[in-house]
Amino acid sequence: MANIWTIAVHELRRLFRSCSMLINLFLLPILLIFLLGSALSSVMGGGKDQTIESFRVGIVDAGNPAERSQLIGNFLKSPQVAEIITAETADSREAAVSGVRSGQYGYAVIVPAGFDKDMVTGKEAKLEYILGKNRTDNMIAGTVFDNFLGSINYKQAAAMTLGPQAISAMTESGQGNPAAVLGKLNDGAPAYTASQYYAAAMLLMFLLLCGQMVITSLYSEKDNHTLFRIGSMPVKGRELFIGKMLGIGLVSVLQCASIIVATRFLFGVYWGNRPGLLMLVCLLMIFASLTLSVIISMFVRSAALARAVLSGLTVVMTFMSGGMAPLPDAWVNTGGAFSINHWGMKGILRMMLESPWAQISGSIGMLSLICLVLGSMAFFSYRKVGYHA
Amino acid sequence: MALAQLSDVVKRYDSKLTVDHVNLSIREGEILGLLGPNGAGKSTTISMLCGLLKMDGGSIVIDGISVAQQPLEAKKRIGLVPQDLALYEDLTAWENAAFFGKLYGLRGGLLKERVQEALEFTGLADRAKDKPATFSGGMKRRLNIVCAIMHRPKLIIMDEPTVGIDPQSRNHILESVKALNKLGSTVIYTSHYMEEVEAICDRVAIMDKGHIIACGTEKELRERVAHEEKIVIKAGNIAPELIRELKQHPRVTRVEGESDTVEMYLPSSQSELQDILFIFAKHGGVIQTLQIEEPDLETLFLSLTGRTLRD
């Protein structure tokens, strides 16, 4: 035990001597979180509820006045839509574009000639959108008209395959079951902000990168020939290994704490109300990173290649989990599920949203399972390959 | 009394025998020189002695403790000075020594005392707070020794500790080895520099191709080749025909010719000197100096293997 502690303290001393290492460990993550959080805050939202205000939408009906779409007209007159969208008729496409540019309209929709007729003959319903300057207005109008089209196409497809009675059956069965329920997915906490999202993503990425320290340390002992000397001393191989892991693990815990505290006080990042679980997720990530780097070090000959492999894996996993830019849910939940970050990210975001334990436990369970597998692989690789000068 | 005993030690790499049934006894209080050319098996033998490599056969016992069965106990009695510098460049000399001292179990006041003592012993006390990156090659070699002697080991193993350093530092290290021995440590000193081994060692074991081919005091070993003499002739105009005729001489066992020097070995120089001078005169060789040398360890190695130590 004394040897393990001696080696761990030795690792800490060497790591804290390196200026570049300190910058990478403690400054770079904060800087990245600040940059990404600031730059992408408009994409993510500000974490506060927004009130939707009514805005004007220019409607261009390309057909003859006699053939103007009644479907669109009726849809726009419905009270729920009229509450949000003030429809104004524009004479032509050019007028709509000009109106959007000048700010007269927040959004514009071009209805193709014969829209209603196409619907009756079974052709697919399509509309052309002209986006305005306000991102929120674009999102709202896009959602409203997409839903309208989706609903029409769905009913049309049902009528064509099952007959006209299918539409009335769908309408009856759908009564009392609203398509969407207004509310929050979280348990009363506000939605997460860009800073929160990227703080979580960067924390996980940098915890995964802590394996770089393991690789550097393991290979430098060989390159310095100090491993040869230590091998001739009364030190067990596993004591050297555990001591190194312990020292680097402690630095990673410090790094993790510094990211959480700094983002909390500098950028107001709220990490949720479960500090114990947050720490558990971070420890599991550190463990996963350490074991992953051990496995790589056992099978790769040079430190540079080992570092490149770990960096590559970290970047790919961070990207797949949506840690670099928010990806479509379908991607994140399929490909991303194979990354370690995915489960850590899911767990931490749920904690930020103050979700109940039931919604967090799955991520932590999966992360624990990954750690168990990686730990076993690292153990057997070490037994098989060993750590020699 | 033997402090370390190697019995029938074998090490194979794939099917090649690197150390071939080596038997060697290291007496308590002696400096044993392990001499041999590169690839003779010296470093492999040292690695097994230190518990760094597993033996494929035989046994090694240090101070009554089997290296194979109780490696940690055996290692406590050893101080290894590796051939390559084994130091942390980012730590100071003191921190390097203290780290390795702790791994030998030294703590607190005793650790400080021993680190200071070892640094003073090697003349590095005034550079204790400096990092090895600022040291000369010789100073780094001395720090390499510091890290192996703080725990006052019974057996100090020095694997070519003077490689690549200036003569002054080499002398300092050789003096340190003698001083350590006087303080009570037994030393195994490996080298392929015959002069170093002759200068400091009580006994010499010569290794070649994984075997111990000779072992004894310098005097004992010299006696084995007392029947052979070495003649070194510096001359001008050394023609290839001259070298060829010297090689064909029935009493000359070996000839080595360089641009202006010819070295040859023969049982007795007195009886053959006339012949040799005649051959030189016949081929126009202009003799500048002629030296008849006593047989040395190099001569012995040559006599036993047909090669020089630095081949």
Side-chain angles (χ1 to χ4, degrees), chain A residues 3 10 33 39 128 161 278 355 362:
Chain A
N3 281 342
H10 171 73
I33 291 165
E128 185 188 348
T161 51
L278 180 64
S355 300

Side-chain angles (χ1 to χ4, degrees), chain B residues 40-54:
Chain B
K42 305 189 298 287
S43 291
T44 307
T45 305
I46 295 298
S47 294
M48 288 189 286
L49 194 59
C50 298
L52 284 157
L53 272 180
K54 282 187 179 173

Side-chain angles (χ1 to χ4, degrees), chain A residues 41-235:
Chain A
S41 59
S42 61
V43 179
M44 303 293 296
K48 290 174 187 164
D49 290 346
Q50 287 190 356
T51 307
I52 297 173
E53 290 179 9
S54 173
F55 58 97
R56 281 177 289 189
V57 175
I59 307 290
V60 181
D61 204 323
N64 299 323
E67 290 180 355
R68 286 209 166 150
S69 171
Q70 287 187 353
L71 282 169
I72 295 282
N74 291 339
F75 174 68
L76 292 170
K77 279 176 195 162
S78 67
Q80 293 95 330
V81 176
E83 195 182 327
I84 305 166
I85 288 172
T86 307
E88 290 184 5
T89 305
D91 294 337
S92 63
R93 194 180 186 285
E94 289 71 28
V97 172
S98 164
V100 167
R101 280 187 186 157
S102 66
Q104 183 188 351
Y105 308 129
Y107 198 80
V109 177
I110 314 292
V111 183
F115 181 81
D116 287 9
K117 199 177 168 186
D118 286 350
M119 288 301 303
V120 173
T121 54
K123 290 182 182 169
E124 190 188 352
K126 280 180 182 173
L127 294 170
E128 185 188 348
Y129 304 142
I130 299 168
L131 272 60
K133 293 173 180 172
N134 186 310
R135 191 177 175 278
T136 310
D137 290 352
N138 288 338
M139 191 170 67
I140 293 165
T143 307
V144 165
F145 285 101
D146 278 347
N147 280 344
F148 166 70
L149 284 179
S151 165
I152 284 182
N153 284 325
Y154 179 55
K155 283 176 182 172
Q156 189 192 42
M160 287 172 73
T161 51
L162 303 170
Q165 69 277 13
I167 295 176
S168 56
M170 277 160 48
T171 311
E172 282 166 20
S173 68
Q175 279 174 356
N177 295 324
V181 178
L182 283 175
K184 294 169 180 172
L185 289 171
N186 53 12
D187 199 17
Y192 52 76
T193 63
S195 290
Q196 276 181 297
Y197 185 85
Y198 283 107
M202 289 300 110
L203 171 70
L204 296 173
M205 188 179 85
F206 278 94
L207 289 185
L208 258 192
L209 280 173
C210 76
Q212 297 272 18
M213 291 185 276
V214 175
I215 290 172
T216 304
S217 176
L218 291 178
Y219 282 91
S220 76
E221 295 286 1
K222 288 185 182 183
D223 295 341
N224 292 338
H225 307 289
T226 40
L227 183 59
F228 188 78
R229 188 194 284 282
I230 293 171
S232 75
M233 293 178 157
V235 179

Side-chain angles (χ1 to χ4, degrees), chain B residues 20-82:
Chain B
D20 188 1
H21 297 90
V22 162
N23 289 287
L24 186 64
S25 179
I26 297 116
R27 296 171 192 161
E28 191 157 9
E30 75 171 345
I31 302 178
L32 176 82
L34 192 54
L35 195 63
N38 289 328
K42 305 189 298 287
S43 291
T44 307
T45 305
I46 295 298
S47 294
M48 288 189 286
L49 194 59
C50 298
L52 284 157
L53 272 180
K54 282 187 179 173
M55 291 170 278
D56 291 325
S59 70
I60 298 175
V61 176
I62 297 171
D63 200 22
I65 295 161
S66 163
V67 173
Q69 286 164 12
Q70 293 176 274
L72 294 185
E73 276 307 307
K75 285 175 181 183
K76 284 179 186 171
R77 287 150 174 84
I78 298 172
L80 172 69
V81 181

Side-chain angles (χ1 to χ4, degrees), chain B residues 223-253:
Chain B
E223 279 171 4
R224 289 180 63 169
V225 282
H227 59 279
E228 233 178 26
E229 281 180 353
K230 180 180 174 183
I231 301 176
V232 182
I233 298 175
K234 270 196 125 183
N237 195 24
I238 300 173
E241 294 78 26
L242 189 156
I243 302 289
R244 204 176 302 129
E245 193 166 343
L246 284 173
K247 282 181 179 173
Q248 284 167 356
H249 192 284
R251 304 285 288 169
V252 175
T253 54

Side-chain angles (χ1 to χ4, degrees), chain B:
Chain B
M1 186 186 153
L3 178 70
Q5 181 70 49
L6 289 81
S7 308
D8 264 337
V9 174
V10 174
K11 182 69 192 173
R12 284 187 191 88
Y13 285 112
D14 297 324
S15 58
K16 193 188 171 199
L17 267 176
T18 311
V19 175
D20 188 1
H21 297 90
V22 162
N23 289 287
L24 186 64
S25 179
I26 297 116
R27 296 171 192 161
E28 191 157 9
E30 75 171 345
I31 302 178
L32 176 82
L34 192 54
L35 195 63
N38 289 328
K42 305 189 298 287
S43 291
T44 307
T45 305
I46 295 298
S47 294
M48 288 189 286
L49 194 59
C50 298
L52 284 157
L53 272 180
K54 282 187 179 173
M55 291 170 278
D56 291 325
S59 70
I60 298 175
V61 176
I62 297 171
D63 200 22
I65 295 161
S66 163
V67 173
Q69 286 164 12
Q70 293 176 274
L72 294 185
E73 276 307 307
K75 285 175 181 183
K76 284 179 186 171
R77 287 150 174 84
I78 298 172
L80 172 69
V81 181
Q83 184 175 344
D84 296 302
L85 293 167
L87 304 167
Y88 296 102
E89 295 273 333
D90 50 346
L91 299 184
T92 65
W94 179 282
E95 287 167 338
N96 266 288
F99 171 63
F100 291 118
K102 278 181 191 170
L103 292 183
Y104 277 118
L106 302 174
R107 293 284 184 281
L110 181 64
L111 175 72
K112 285 182 185 171
E113 185 189 309
R114 293 287 182 83
V115 170
Q116 184 62 30
E117 181 186 277
L119 287 169
E120 280 172 7
F121 179 78
T122 50
L124 289 173
D126 56 334
R127 301 295 302 269
K129 289 180 182 171
D130 294 334
K131 291 179 181 173
T134 64
F135 287 5
S136 67
M139 288 164 79
K140 284 182 185 177
R141 286 271 160 205
R142 274 140 65 187
L143 183 57
N144 209 28
I145 294 174
V146 167
C147 297
I149 61 173
M150 281 167 302
H151 60 301
R152 294 184 184 164
K154 284 193 167 183
L155 180 63
I156 298 173
I157 300 165
M158 296 187 156
D159 193 4
E160 309 207 13
T162 58
V163 169
I165 57 170
D166 57 280
Q168 196 184 349
S169 294
R170 175 177 293 192
N171 287 339
H172 196 292
I173 287 173
L174 295 179
E175 288 305 317
S176 302
V177 176
K178 282 195 235 174
L180 282 168
N181 180 244
K182 275 185 188 162
L183 288 169
S185 289
T186 303
V187 180
I188 299 177
Y189 189 95
T190 82
S191 179
H192 58 263
Y193 293 119
M194 174 197 66
E195 312 80 28
E196 284 184 4
V197 171
E198 282 180 336
I200 63 167
C201 296
D202 302 314
R203 282 197 312 142
V204 180
I206 300 178
M207 220 174 159
D208 185 49
K209 293 180 180 172
H211 297 273
I212 300 284
I213 55 173
C215 186
T217 62
E218 193 190 337
K219 191 181 166 200
E220 286 166 352
L221 294 175
R222 278 176 191 269
E223 279 171 4
R224 289 180 63 169
V225 282
H227 59 279
E228 233 178 26
E229 281 180 353
K230 180 180 174 183
I231 301 176
V232 182
I233 298 175
K234 270 196 125 183
N237 195 24
I238 300 173
E241 294 78 26
L242 189 156
I243 302 289
R244 204 176 302 129
E245 193 166 343
L246 284 173
K247 282 181 179 173
Q248 284 167 356
H249 192 284
R251 304 285 288 169
V252 175
T253 54
R254 187 180 168 91
V255 180
E256 280 178 21
E258 286 175 20
S259 59
D260 62 347
T261 309
V262 179
E263 291 181 2
M264 66 203 88
Y265 297 85
L266 62 169
S268 170
S269 60
Q270 281 183 351
S271 55
E272 314 301 334
L273 202 53
Q274 286 289 354
D275 278 1
I276 288 164
L277 293 175
F278 175 75
I279 293 169
F280 264 83
K282 182 178 161 188
H283 293 285
V286 183
I287 294 175
Q288 290 154 2
T289 61
L290 186 149
Q291 200 175 343
I292 299 170
E293 292 182 359
E294 289 276 305
D296 56 13
L297 295 179
E298 181 81 49
T299 318
L300 173 67
F301 187 80
L302 191 63
S303 158
L304 293 170
T305 66
R307 292 179 291 120
T308 63
L309 273 167
R310 282 158 209 165
D311 269 352

